[in-house]
Amino acid sequence: VRAKHRSMPNASNRKALLALIQEHAEAARDEERSNGVLTREHAEDALVHEHASGAAARGVLTALGLRQRRKECDANLRGRQLRSLPPELAHAPPLSSLDLSANELPELPDELPAPLAGLTELRLADNLIGSAALARSALPASLRVLDVSANRLVALPPCVLRLDQLQVLRLSRQQLRALPPQLSLLASLVELDAGFNQLGRALRLAPPGLPCLRALVLAANGLETFELGEAAGLPALAQLDLSHNALRRWPAALGSLGALRCLRLENNGLRSLVSDEVARGRRMWVPASGVHELVGLAELGVARNELRELPPTLADLDGLLRLDVRANPLDADALTLARRLMSRSGGRLAA
C-alpha cells in the first residue's frame, strides 16, 4: 500500500485516491478476518500518516466512524479512550452529529473545528467534564440534542441555557444539587433527564416554565417534594418519572399537569395517592388534590411504596391502561378496586 502511495498522482486525481482507500478497506477487512481484530492504530497508520489531503482525511474518519446520512454526516468516536478531540476532525465534511461518549475527555476546546460549527447533536456522556470545563467549552448554538450524562457537573453552566434551539438535554448521573429557575430559557426543550443527581427538591421554574416539555426524568434525587413556580408550568408534559425518591405525601403540583399520560412514583414511601388537605366549599370530605385530577393518565406506577388503600376516586381514570401496585401492603378492598378498574378499561394490572 505504501509503495502505491508514493507513486500516487497528484491530489486532484480523486477517483484513483478513492479507489486506493477502498482497496485499503478491503485489505483491512481481510486482515481482520485473519487476525480477528482491526485496530484503530492500523487505520490511522495506513490513512492518517500516508494521506494529507482532505479526501484522505475523510477516509480516516470512515475508519473512525464517519457515516453519511443523506446530506448530513455523523461521526461516532465512542469508546476510543480519547483525551482530546482528534485533529483529523478539522478535515471532516460538515458534521450534524458527533458522539464522543465513553472517552476520557476532561474538556472541550474553547474553539471547535469548522466542521463542528453546525452540529445539531453532541453526545458527551461518560467523560470527565466538570462544570467549569463545560462553561469554557464552545457549544454550537445550533445544538438540538446535548447529552452530558455521567460527567462531573455540580452546577449547570450558563452556556447551556443559551442554547435556545435545544430540544433534548440529558444531565443524569452527576452531582447536581439544583436546577436553575432560568432553565425556562430553553423554550424549545422537549425532553429533560436529570435523574440520579442530588437535587433534594424540584422543579421551580421562572415564567413561562417549559411549554414544550413532554418528558421529564427526576428519578433518584432524594426529592422530598415536587413543586412548580407560581406563574410557570409544564402544560405539555406527558411523561414524568419521580421514582426512587423520598416523596412521603402526594405532591399537589401534580394536579396542574393536565397532559400527563405516564406517571412513575415507584419506591418513594408514599402512604396515599391523595393529599391530606380537604377541598374547600364541599359538604363531603373531598381531598384537595390527588391522582383523580390526572384524568388523561394511561400508565401509573406506584410499586414499592407504603400504600394500604387506594382512593375510590381512582375509578374516575377511565383511560388508565396500566397500573402497577406491587410490593404495597394493600388491603383486599384496594385490590378489588384495582382489578375492577383494569377489567373495565381492558388494561393490565401488576399486583
Side-chain angles (χ1 to χ4, degrees), residues 142-322:
S142 54
L143 280 180
R144 296 181 183 177
V145 176
L146 177 61
D147 185 352
V148 289
S149 303
N151 276 277
R152 298 181 175 181
L153 301 184
V154 295
L156 191 63
C159 62
V160 176
L161 302 176
R162 292 194 287 268
L163 301 174
D164 57 5
Q165 297 186 46
L166 204 61
Q167 297 179 7
V168 177
L169 178 58
R170 297 186 178 127
L171 303 167
S172 64
R173 296 175 289 157
Q174 314 276 356
Q175 301 174 41
L176 296 174
R177 296 185 176 276
L179 293 175
Q182 295 80 9
L183 199 65
S184 57
L185 292 172
L186 303 177
S188 300
L189 203 62
V190 174
E191 176 186 331
L192 173 61
D193 184 351
F196 294 87
N197 278 285
Q198 303 171 22
L199 298 180
R201 55 187 300 176
L203 172 73
R204 296 191 66 84
L205 297 169
L210 293 169
C212 298
L213 195 70
R214 293 185 53 81
L216 174 61
V217 178
L218 294 172
N221 269 288
L223 295 179
E224 297 180 356
T225 183
F226 174 78
E227 53 190 14
L228 300 171
E230 295 181 1
L234 305 169
L237 193 67
Q239 301 177 38
L240 175 60
D241 186 349
L242 293 172
S243 62
H244 302 278
N245 279 296
L247 300 171
R248 300 291 184 262
R249 298 181 178 182
W250 179 263
L254 293 178
S256 66
L257 304 178
L260 203 61
R261 298 277 295 165
C262 175
L263 176 60
R264 297 194 56 186
L265 288 165
E266 296 94 333
N267 196 22
N268 263 287
L270 281 172
R271 295 184 175 89
S272 176
L273 297 183
V274 296
S275 67
D276 297 333
E277 293 78 18
V278 178
R280 296 179 180 178
R282 299 290 186 93
R283 293 183 177 180
M284 300 180 62
W285 184 89
V286 176
S289 62
V291 68
H292 56 278
E293 296 177 290
L294 305 176
V295 294
L297 206 61
E299 182 175 344
L300 175 62
V302 290
R304 297 181 297 280
N305 279 285
E306 299 177 16
L307 299 173
R308 295 185 177 277
E309 59 182 13
L310 297 176
T313 51
L314 189 66
D316 296 339
L317 305 183
D318 296 329
L320 197 62
L321 297 175
R322 189 177 187 279

Side-chain angles (χ1 to χ4, degrees), residues 11 17 47-58 60 91:
L17 182 57
L47 291 173
V48 177
H49 300 299
E50 297 294 331
H51 297 292
S53 69
R58 285 191 287 275
V60 172
H91 303 290

